[in-house]
Amino acid sequence: MKFLNLVHYFEKLEATSKRLEMFAILSDLFQQANAEEIDKIIYLAQGELLPPFHGINIGMSEKYLLRALAKAGDVDPEMIAKQYRIVGDLGGLAEKVIHGEGKGLTVAEVYERIDAIATMSGEGSVERKIDAVCELIGAVSPLEAKYVARFMAGKLRLGAGDATILEALALSKGDRAYRKELDRAYNITSDLGLVAKTLYQAGEEGIRAMSVRMGYPIRPALCERLSSAEEIVEKIGRCSVEVKYDGLRCQIHKSKNDLAIFSRNQERTTPMFPEIAEACRNLFREQEIIIEGEALAFNEATGDLLPFQITSQRKRKHGIEDMAKAFPLKFFVFDLLYLNGEDYTHHGYAQRRKKLFELIKKNPVMEVSHAIETEDPVEIQKFFDASIERGLEGIVAKRLDGPYAAGSRNFNWIKLKRSYKGALSDSVDLVIVGYFAGKGHRAKFGIGTILSAVYDPGEDRFKTVTRIGTGFSEEELVQLKQLLDEEAAPERPHPVDSEITPDVWVNPKYVITVTADEITRSPNHTAGRDADGIGYALRFPRVQGFIRTDKSPRDATTVSEIIDMFNLQKRVKME
Ligand code: ATP
């Protein structure tokens, strides 16, 4: 496929925010693609070269891109920098500056050139990159240059989230029945390009045959919520009740010669956990294994687990070795997903856990998560109380025969967290979609309240649920303003659904954890709107901590979780 053809589809995508239209445009695009290019088309449409877990960052600084643009268009760099300050969009600027007809490059050619630029490193690589971008932009037409420039700046936002791509892929094969299989394949590999390529090369059979792969993070299984031990037993009967540790979730892939650790949102975090990586290498030597667990700081002398604020200090680039000495981590393993060629996600929980006990021999860093097996609500309550007393978050009850439900939240796992009187029993994770400048003493920070949203996976959109005014320190407000302004959008971003218009729209990128007093019905917010236009809203929301880096916007709390929490809250109130 010619790159220009792809760009025409990008133009159509940009012009709509209607989901059905997006599905139609994308599925039409996918039908034009062959098996060699479908993966590249999907990555490019999402503004990436490869899935995020590869950790490739193409985002070139504006300064260098402007230089490349000036050179390619043979215009004065000063003039172009000035224009950029007015227009604010590198893509629009590139379209104006470039005049040629282009060489008719294919998608694969453009992809390869960008890939080559992204992987340039070492001495003089900045100049080489600028030259290569200049050459690429010089070889395409103005419209193509618009998208190349945005892509290179990391600012290509077509609103095609993973759920949208999956739906369009299923549609492109003319059969929505594919969707379930495609979802499963995606949830166990986190690689949409690979899934699409497999579909194109080997059809539905190929998709069905896909299984867990070493080095491809498996999307996490998540917990449903219930509000009492009785409800848990009623729902899943005899179960395993594990401690819910409040640390950092890690998925470790250890092959014979390699080891990678992935965060909850599939980012590579290996360098943050040297002691856990070493313990894994020593323990599993020749084994190929994927395990999952929670890493927590602990006091070596007393064995006490330390609060999340201390564990989370690991999330840094420098000084990790010192941190590891000051606050060593313990790794509580709660699942086994793969062992020596065998995909364990299909096996029942009890079988996976039994194997974990066989594999994890006594060592100072790693142990299997603590649990009891019971069908007695009184025992569950006692275990819960004891966990809370130890300063832990609560418990996770697990269905004994439940497979590992990659990428989904269901009643195989049920969490019960500490709840404070009058407050919502669980925090929610919201996406910032805009802010208001603020009045009074807040005006000096430029941010008064934040407009926040939950995620609707069915529509692949973000729907507002509250405005939050409190919870950040003055320093945090300054930092927040800077981060949000980098993501500011001139108008409502397509994936955002909102009745409220903030002073500044923000592209959905940042997730914050929020507690509130309760969930109410509200005509002002779009989350869960019914036919009468009444949605759901959080009452008295407060931010906990700062931005949550282990969750991507599409990992935020969903609309259906808010509705479930609203119903749970009603039940608790009635008791
Ligand atoms: P939270 O904000 O409560 O961490 P979450 O959205 O990250 O929620 P949940 O499904 O609510 O995910 O809760 C599961 C999380 O709890 C996991 O992501 C994991 O990090 C953590 N966890 C701690 N202990 C356990 C355990 N024993 N089994 C499973 N998950 C555990």
Side-chain angles (χ1 to χ4, degrees), residues 220-225 241-250 264 292-294 296 332-335 353 369-370 393-396 398 408-409 413 415 417 426-429 513 548 550-551 555-557 561:
L222 300 167
C223 308
E224 273 288 355
R225 303 173 177 85
V241 183
E242 297 192 17
V243 166
K244 189 173 194 302
Y245 301 97
D246 194 9
L248 298 170
R249 187 172 185 156
C250 297
R264 189 192 181 288
E292 196 168 62
E294 196 86 354
L296 253 82
F332 293 96
V333 186
F334 56 71
D335 230 312
R353 192 162 168 92
S369 56
H370 297 187
E393 262 204 306
I395 53 169
V396 183
K398 298 186 178 175
S408 68
R409 194 180 287 279
W413 291 9
K415 65 177 162 179
K417 278 169 102 171
D426 197 3
S427 56
V428 290
D429 295 309
T513 300
R548 228 188 128 150
D550 66 339
K551 280 200 177 180
D555 296 323
T557 300
E561 284 182 80

Side-chain angles (χ1 to χ4, degrees), residues 33 72 105 107 149 240 264 268 382 462 473:
L105 298 182
V107 169
S240 174
R264 189 192 181 288
R268 238 166 239 273
K382 270 196 204 151
F462 298 93
S473 68

Side-chain angles (χ1 to χ4, degrees), residues 152-340:
M152 298 302 306
K155 295 252 160 86
L156 183 68
R157 295 202 182 86
L158 300 172
D162 296 351
T164 302
I165 298 279
L166 283 162
E167 181 70 12
L169 255 184
L171 285 173
S172 75
K173 289 290 164 190
D175 187 356
R176 283 216 62 245
Y178 273 113
R179 178 67 204 267
K180 219 170 127 226
E181 297 301 327
L182 291 171
D183 280 355
R184 189 197 68 89
Y186 168 60
N187 282 328
I188 55 172
T189 59
S190 307
D191 188 336
L192 279 174
L194 174 72
V195 171
K197 203 179 179 96
T198 308
L199 179 67
Y200 276 51
Q201 283 175 338
E204 198 181 350
E205 278 306 295
I207 291 291
R208 273 187 213 284
M210 277 180 82
S211 69
V212 162
R213 295 174 177 219
M214 196 50 81
Y216 286 69
I218 300 159
R219 293 170 57 75
L222 300 167
C223 308
E224 273 288 355
R225 303 173 177 85
L226 284 176
S227 52
S228 71
E230 286 79 13
E231 284 183 336
I232 291 176
V233 174
E234 215 170 275
K235 189 86 190 174
I236 58 172
R238 188 172 179 79
C239 55
S240 174
V241 183
E242 297 192 17
V243 166
K244 189 173 194 302
Y245 301 97
D246 194 9
L248 298 170
R249 187 172 185 156
C250 297
Q251 191 179 95
I252 307 183
H253 291 226
K254 191 215 151 282
S255 60
K256 289 212 169 72
N257 307 314
D258 222 349
L259 186 144
I261 303 182
F262 297 104
S263 66
R264 189 192 181 288
N265 58 346
Q266 300 88 50
E267 278 173 6
R268 238 166 239 273
T269 51
T270 321
M272 279 183 213
F273 306 103
E275 69 273 59
I276 297 177
E278 193 192 330
C280 248
R281 286 196 189 94
N282 290 337
L283 200 59
F284 301 128
R285 295 189 182 279
E286 289 302 300
Q287 320 254 35
E288 291 212 319
I289 188 167
I290 303 178
I291 50 172
E292 196 168 62
E294 196 86 354
L296 253 82
F298 81 112
N299 181 330
E300 271 178 301
T302 63
D304 287 345
L305 298 170
L306 299 177
F308 180 72
Q309 288 74 356
I310 295 184
T311 306
S312 69
Q313 291 177 33
R314 269 306 163 99
K315 291 199 255 173
R316 52 164 70 193
K317 290 221 161 67
H318 306 288
I320 298 271
E321 291 297 333
D322 291 343
M323 273 313 285
K325 276 197 197 113
F327 297 109
L329 300 182
K330 245 211 192 322
F331 189 53
F332 293 96
V333 186
F334 56 71
D335 230 312
L336 170 67
L337 307 177
Y338 175 93
L339 181 66
N340 301 326

Side-chain angles (χ1 to χ4, degrees), residues 335-555:
D335 230 312
L336 170 67
L337 307 177
Y338 175 93
L339 181 66
N340 301 326
E342 192 176 350
D343 182 344
Y344 264 67
T345 58
H346 305 292
H347 295 312
Y349 166 86
Q351 196 184 342
R352 302 199 304 276
R353 192 162 168 92
K354 184 165 167 264
K355 196 75 192 172
L356 271 184
F357 276 109
E358 284 169 30
L359 288 163
I360 300 187
K361 306 273 177 280
K362 201 168 168 41
N363 75 91
V365 177
M366 238 190 287
E367 54 187 89
V368 179
S369 56
H370 297 187
I372 56 165
E373 198 183 300
T374 180
E375 56 202 324
D376 179 0
V378 177
E379 257 192 79
I380 296 182
Q381 187 63 43
K382 270 196 204 151
F383 190 75
F384 176 81
D385 292 341
S387 304
I388 298 297
E389 220 162 276
R390 285 178 65 201
L392 297 161
E393 262 204 306
I395 53 169
V396 183
K398 298 186 178 175
R399 192 189 285 269
L400 292 173
D401 58 1
Y404 183 89
S408 68
R409 194 180 287 279
N410 63 30
F411 286 98
N412 284 347
W413 291 9
I414 305 169
K415 65 177 162 179
L416 188 61
K417 278 169 102 171
R418 188 173 25 175
S419 74
Y420 299 102
K421 217 167 171 283
L424 213 57
S425 65
D426 197 3
S427 56
V428 290
D429 295 309
L430 306 181
V431 182
I432 302 178
V433 296
Y435 70 81
F436 293 85
K439 298 192 185 81
H441 86 285
R442 287 293 203 92
K444 73 171 186 265
F445 299 105
I447 292 192
T449 56
I450 293 164
L451 183 62
S452 309
V454 284
Y455 179 53
D456 183 339
E459 292 187 27
D460 196 9
R461 295 190 87 186
F462 298 93
K463 308 205 163 182
T464 72
V465 74
T466 197
R467 276 174 69 165
I468 311 163
T470 51
F472 289 118
S473 68
E474 298 195 343
E475 272 159 33
E476 282 171 344
L477 274 177
V478 173
Q479 201 186 338
L480 188 70
K481 170 113 179 20
Q482 197 179 349
L483 289 172
L484 297 188
D485 284 347
E486 279 166 21
E487 289 302 321
E491 54 193 46
R492 180 176 56 75
H494 284 172
V496 175
D497 182 7
S498 174
E499 280 291 315
I500 299 170
T501 303
D503 291 336
V504 179
W505 287 108
V506 176
N507 286 306
K509 175 167 181 178
Y510 295 112
V511 176
I512 46 173
T513 300
V514 173
T515 52
D517 276 8
E518 61 173 342
I519 299 170
T520 54
R521 300 304 307 268
S522 155
N524 300 327
H525 289 285
T526 50
R529 275 206 159 164
D530 58 17
D532 299 327
I534 309 290
Y536 293 81
L538 298 186
R539 224 164 93 89
F540 300 128
R542 302 170 289 276
V543 180
Q544 274 184 344
F546 195 51
I547 284 163
R548 228 188 128 150
T549 51
D550 66 339
K551 280 200 177 180
S552 313
R554 287 177 173 81
D555 296 323

